Every structure is written in structure tokens, then in C-alpha cells.
């Protein structure tokens, strides 16, 4: 921990030195910027538009009158209410059909001005489409698929064919999930991730390819990022909705209620309150118990956001979000024709809760913005499941259950300096837009696994485990209990640079240095007696770079290319000490290469994009079964590659109609033979 905080202090000093140097060269500049530039969707009406830098004013003055008229006639850009430097807030000539400004690059930019592939959806548009969760959102993003788990909180997302197949959805995630800049996936014991409702979201961003430079090791192949609407200082507003829903193969009716309210308090303070309740009908029939529609679920979430501008230079955002998910039974069927099962002997049950606290403080330096972000994420996830069929005991009188409980407390802090205008200087040092940042997160995680037979009359030795001291107790059946705690710390320094090399060529550079360490302690118990206690301390460090180029061939055609390296942290396997499986596993890495063409026609009313990609993935974290097929562990094996293409078409048609279509082709396969519990995998 001393090394950790020492590195953070060094990073802060590094940022401060750069800030002072930049401030000295720009001391003659007057700020006068409203802090809506930092947090708000637009400048307050009484303040007028935010001032632009000299280069932007010169460019505007040189713009032909007919081009300005055409730009004014284009559809309004949906602007994300987040921090945005002046020189990138206006998306310029790319404004068009449902164009969205995102902050996936930690500054506000049009998705068409980024060298990486991003599908962005406004929250209002998703609500109009009837989206209520990840499955509904990601079906509109070519190359991304969702595999639901035993419940809605353990879904697996595949970006471009990159997915670690897992016998347990608690491990092996290749994707990231973020609420703003808060990672919802733990670094060691992945646990569950909240499947958030897009109601009252500003945007939901689907980031394809590794996001390790700006978001760390929680996004190996891509990420989904929720950005909630911020409080508005200008006006009072509200919204509410009531919906009914029915699922196929279900006799029940579900319902959802949502409400949002924006409350200005004076000229410099505002609150925004949003929340919802959702009850989804079940559709799975339990033939053994004679119960229908057993897997109904309930979701409740609420958040309160506050925004305060104490002066023209300071802006503060605070937020608390609370969420609860409950599912009455599991969703796993054993019939390929219908959603039903006759192998269940015990009812499943899932309860997940999450709470997020954030504080976001920004100061406008005039030539740049200094911003500190603090967050606290607390999660619990309790699962009680039937293990009878997994142990091939469904034809006996035995009943075996497993309980998996996870808890995590995860504070994080990020400090970043964002330029408001390109750097002054000559041909080499001048003209750069930059982001410099330092990041620290500590995740205290707990995982408990309990396997037992609920009936006292069950025969001893049902679980086929070796009891303590090799003897079977006559008082109760064999029981296994595993307890694991991990304290994971990540520290990182990162930068992101952008510069126009010519009028038509734009360069993007970035890198992240990271260091991650986990201290894990595991305890195993069988038949009421201790088996063993073990410790593990996996460590890793490295560099995650990226490079991107955008060439505006014509006003209608742009060529885009990028290369980025992603990584995923290593971790700890929670297994009985008697197992011969490895106790830890290492990080895995991939390189993602893209080349695409982006086109816009008919005054930006038709946009057609085509992207090709190639991914090289090494040291895969693959889930394996132990020899007794009771437990899942993770091992590093072989290599894989994925290649393909994605097509997106969007058009604004007459009569107020919009058209959107897309498709993808993906060929993903292992590239090296490796051994698994089932034999050699070619």
C-alpha cells in the first residue's frame, strides 16, 4: 500500500507540474468560461454561448456562408451532459442523423471524430425502442452478442467473438461495464454486474475493442458505459411512464413504472431524482415440481443527483444510486424445444444489491480543466442454486444445493487534466489536445461457496468428496465450505493525445501504465472440520498503448484505422486445498486492429460505415472443470484470433421517419491446441 499511494502522489505531482508549466505559457488568456462547459449540456441562456479559442474563431470566420447555412439546417446534435473542453464540444461537419456526442474518450466528442468503433444510443431513443436491459440494448450493436446466465445479473457479453466460456458466470469476464467512470465489475472475484435500466440515461455507449488505455483492465474486448442525465440549472422538468409486458410461454403480465424530476434551486444549484420499479414475468416451467413461470424477477432502482456551481470556475456533481434485483428461480432449461426443466429438485433464488456514491469536482483553469472523481461502489450478490443435476444425482433421492455469496467494497479516485485548447508552440509541440490522468482503486472482495444436502436423512458421502481425515462422519452428510477474501489494488497513469497533422489527417495516441496486486486468503472446510488455509498474492504490471488515424479523404468519405492493446487482470481460483488445480492465473492480452470507411451522403441524411477487424488474443483465461467435475477454475492456455467486418446504415427519410440497419460477420477460433478437462482442444 505504501508503494501504491507513493505512486499516486508522484502522479499528482507530475500532473501539477504540467499544469503549472501550461499555466505559465497561457497566463495571459482570460477564462470567463461558464462551468456549464464542464458539466452542463449547454451554456445558460442568460450567459450566452461559451467563448471559443482563437483558432476556432478563425476557422469559423473563414467558413463559407453557404457551408454555415447548411450546418445550421442540419439536425440538432444530442449532446452528452458531461465535462467537455471548448474545442471539442461542437462536432462540426459531422452533425447529422441522430449523431451523438459521447465522453468515452473522457472528453465530449462526436462518435465520428474517434478512431475507435463506438455505437452510442440516447436514453430516450432506447426507451422508445422498449429497451429495459443489456439484451435489448446490445441487439442494435453489430458484432456484439449477449448470453444470459442463470439470472439477469450474470449475462456474458461477446465483443467480436471474444468470450471466455465459463461454467460459472462469476468468473472469466472479457468485457467491461461502467456507470459513468465507475467500473461495475470487480478485478478478482467478478461476481455479478448490475443490468441497469436505460431509463433517464443521457446515453448508453457500446465501446468495441480493448479500452485498457482509459478504463484499465476491466475491458479486455470492449465495454458498455451508462451515462445518466445530469441536473439542469435552467428549468424545472419531469417525466413518468407506465408499461405492461408479456413474455413468450408465460401466463403472467409484467409491469414497469418510472419517474424522473429535475428541480432547480436558485441559479447555481439543481437536483435530479429518477427511479423505477420493474416486475418481469417468468417463462420457465418446472415439470418436476408442477410449477409454471417460475423465474419471475423484480428490479428496483433510484438515484439522486446534485449539481452545484459556487462560482464561475468551480463545478461539483454528487450522486447516490441504489439498486436491487431479485429473482424467484433460475432460468436454465433442459429442453431444447421449450423453456422447461424436469431435472430441478430445489428452487433457485438470487438477490443482488448495489450502491454507488460519486463526487465529481472540476476547476476551470481557462486553458484547461482539472477534475477529481471519487466513487464508492458496494455490491452484494447471493445465489442459492440446485446442484443435484450437476452432480448427476437427479435419479436418486438426494438433494444437493450450492450457495454462492459475494460482497465487495470498492473505492476509487481519478485525477485528470484536460486541455481546453490546443497546446501553443512549434510544429512538434503545438496543436495537441491532451488528457493526463492518475487512477487508484482498491477492491475488498469476499466470496463464500457452500455445498450441502438439506435433508438429514440423505446418505453420507453424497457429494463424492473426501471427508476430513479420510473418514465419513455419521452425524451429517459430507459438506464443503470455501471462503476467500481478496484485497486488490490497482494504480495507473495514463495519457491521451490528439492532433491534426494536416487539414485532413488526425492522429490519436494514448497509453496506460498499470500495476495491480491482490492479497488473497482462502479457507476450506469439509464435514465441519478445516482442510487447509492458503494464501496467494498475484501481481502484474505493464503498458497498454493505442494508436489511431483518421483521414478525411473528401467531405463525404473518411478512412479510419487503429491499433490498441487490451489486458485483463489475473486472479485467484477459489478451490478446495485438496484440488490439484492452480491457485492463481495470470493476465491475458489481446491486440485489436481496425480499418474502416465512414461515409455520409445527401447532406448527412445517409450514413454508411464499414469496419474490418483482426484480433490476436494470447494466454487466454479459460474456465476449466476439476477432475471430479465439481468446481470451476481458470487457467491460462493457448491463443486465439478473431476477424470479421461490421456494417452500419442510418438514414433520415421523409415524413419524419428514420431507418437503421446493421450486420456483422465474425470468425473467431482458437489458434493453438491446448488441453482441457475434456481432452485436447484443436
Amino acid at each position: 500500500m505504501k508503494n501504491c499511494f507513493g505512486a499516486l502522489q508522484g502522479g499528482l505531482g507530475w500532473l501539477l507540474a504540467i499544469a503549472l508549466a501550461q499555466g505559465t505559457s497561457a497566463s495571459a488568456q482570460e477564462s470567463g468560461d461558464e462551468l456549464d462547459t464542464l458539466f452542463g449540456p449547454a451554456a445558460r441562456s442568460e450567459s450566452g454561448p461559451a467563448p471559443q479559442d482563437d483558432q476556432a474563431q478563425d476557422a469559423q470566420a473563414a467558413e463559407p456562408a453557404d457551408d454555415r447555412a447548411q450546418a445550421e439546417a442540419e439536425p440538432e446534435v444530442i449532446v452528452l451532459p458531461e465535462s467537455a473542453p471548448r474545442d471539442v464540444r461542437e462536432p462540426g461537419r459531422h452533425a447529422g442523423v441522430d449523431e451523438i456526442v459521447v465522453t468515452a474518450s473522457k472528453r465530449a466528442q462526436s462518435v465520428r471524430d474517434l478512431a475507435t468503433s463506438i455505437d452510442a444510443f440516447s436514453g430516450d431513443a432506447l426507451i422508445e425502442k422498449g429497451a429495459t436491459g443489456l439484451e435489448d440494448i446490445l441487439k442494435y450493436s453489430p458484432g456484439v452478442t449477449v448470453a444470459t446466465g442463470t439470472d439477469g445479473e450474470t449475462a456474458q457479453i461477446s465483443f467480436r467473438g471474444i468470450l471466455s466460456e465459463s461454467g460459472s458466470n462469476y468468473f472469466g469476464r472479457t468485457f467491461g461495464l461502467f456507470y459513468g467512470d465507475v467500473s461495475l465489475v470487480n478485478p478478482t472475484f467478478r461476481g455479478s454486474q448490475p443490468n441497469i435500466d436505460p431509463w433517464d440515461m443521457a446515453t448508453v455507449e457500446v465501446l468495441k475493442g480493448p479500452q485498457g488505455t482509459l478504463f484499465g483492465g476491466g475491458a479486455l474486448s470492449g465495454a458498455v458505459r451508462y451515462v445518466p442525465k445530469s441536473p439542469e440549472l435552467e428549468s424545472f422538468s419531469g417525466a413518468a411512464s407506465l408499461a405492461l409486458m408479456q413474455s413468450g410461454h408465460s401466463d403472467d403480465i409484467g409491469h414497469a413504472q418510472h419517474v424522473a424530476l429535475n428541480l432547480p434551486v436558485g441559479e447555481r444549484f439543481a437536483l435530479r431524482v429518477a427511479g423505477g420499479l420493474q416486475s418481469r414475468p417468468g417463462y420457465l416451467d418446472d415439470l418436476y415440481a408442477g410449477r409454471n413461470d417460475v423465474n419471475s424477477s423484480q428490479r428496483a432502482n433510484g438515484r439522486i443527483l446534485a449539481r452545484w456551481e459556487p462560482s464561475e470556475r468551480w463545478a461539483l456533481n454528487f450522486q447516490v444510486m441504489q439498486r436491487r434485483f431479485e429473482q424467484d428461480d433460475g432460468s436454465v432449461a433442459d429442453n431444447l424445444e421449450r423453456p422447461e426443466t424436469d431435472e430441478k429438485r430445489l428452487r433457485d433464488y438470487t438477490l443482488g444489491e448495489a450502491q454507488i456514491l460519486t463526487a465529481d469536482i472540476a476547476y476551470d483553469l481557462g486553458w484547461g480543466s482539472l477534475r477529481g472523481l471519487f466513487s464508492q461502489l458496494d455490491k452484494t450478490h447471493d445465489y442459492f442454486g440446485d446442484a443435484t443435476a450437476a452432480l448427476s444425482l437427479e435419479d436418486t433421492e438426494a438433494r444437493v444445493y450450492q450457495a454462492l455469496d459475494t460482497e465487495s467494497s470498492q473505492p476509487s479516485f481519478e485525477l485528470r487534466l484536460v486541455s481546453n485548447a490546443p497546446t501553443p508552440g512549434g510544429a512538434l509541440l503545438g496543436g495537441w489536445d491532451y488528457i493526463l490522468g492518475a487512477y487508484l482503486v482498491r477492491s475488498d472482495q469476499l466470496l463464500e461457496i457452500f455445498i450441502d444436502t438439506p435433508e438429514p436423512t440423505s446418505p453420507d458421502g453424497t457429494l463424492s468428496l473426501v471427508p476430513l481425515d479420510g473418514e465419513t462422519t455419521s452425524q451429517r452428510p459430507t459438506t464443503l465450505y470455501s471462503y476467500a477474501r481478496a484485497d486488490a489494488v490497482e494504480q495507473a497513469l495514463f495519457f491521451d493525445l490528439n492532433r491534426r497533422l494536416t487539414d485532413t489527417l488526425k492522429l490519436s495516441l494514448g497509453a496506460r501504465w498499470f500495476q495491480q496486486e491482490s492479497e488473497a486468503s482462502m479457507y476450506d472446510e469439509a464435514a465441519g472440520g478445516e482442510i487447509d488455509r492458503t494464501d496467494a498474492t498475484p501481481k502484474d504490471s505493464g503498458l497498454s498503448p493505442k494508436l489511431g488515424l483518421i483521414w478525411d479523404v473528401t467531405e463525404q468519405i473518411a478512412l479510419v484505422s487503429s491499433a490498441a492493446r487490451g489486458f485483463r487482470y489475473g486472479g485467484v481460483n477459489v478451490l478446495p486445498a485438496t484440488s490439484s488445480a492452480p491457485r492463481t492465473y495470470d493476465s491475458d492480452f489481446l491486440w485489436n486492429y481496425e480499418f474502416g470507411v465512414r461515409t455520409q451522403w445527401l447532406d448527412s441524411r445517409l450514413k454508411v460505415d464499414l469496419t474490418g477487424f483482426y484480433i490476436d488474443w494470447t494466454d487466454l483465461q479459460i474456465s476449466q472443470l476439476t477432475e471430479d467435475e465439481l468446481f470451476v477454475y481458470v487457467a491460462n492456455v493457448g491463443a486465439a484470433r478473431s476477424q470479421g467486418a461490421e456494417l452500419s446504415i442510418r438514414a433520415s427519410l421523409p415524413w419524419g421517419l428514420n431507418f437503421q440497419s446493421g450486420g456483422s460477420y465474425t470468425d473467431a477460433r482458437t489458434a493453438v491446441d491446448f488441453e482441457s478437462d475434456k481432452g485436447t482442444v484443436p
Side-chain angles (χ1 to χ4, degrees), residues 6-26:
L8 180 63
Q9 291 173 353
L12 299 183
W14 171 64
L15 286 177
L16 183 59
I18 294 176
L20 293 175
Q22 179 72 4
T24 302
S25 63

Side-chain angles (χ1 to χ4, degrees), residues 570-584:
V572 179
N573 287 314
V574 183
L575 296 166
T578 53
S579 173
S580 59
R583 307 301 293 181
T584 64

Side-chain angles (χ1 to χ4, degrees), residues 3 12 22 49 80 120 141 169 365 375 443 547 569 677:
N3 294 335
L12 299 183
Q22 179 72 4
L80 182 75
S141 183
N169 287 322
L365 300 167
S375 70
S443 185
L547 169 67
Y569 298 128
D677 53 278

Side-chain angles (χ1 to χ4, degrees), residues 135-170:
E135 305 93 316
D136 303 322
I137 297 170
L138 296 181
K139 68 184 179 183
Y140 297 108
S141 183
V144 184
T145 58
V146 181
T148 56
T150 55
D151 60 70
E153 305 292 278
T154 54
Q156 290 276 12
I157 305 174
S158 172
F159 286 86
R160 296 174 170 174
I162 302 301
L163 179 68
S164 294
E165 295 296 340
S166 174
S168 169
N169 287 322
Y170 281 77

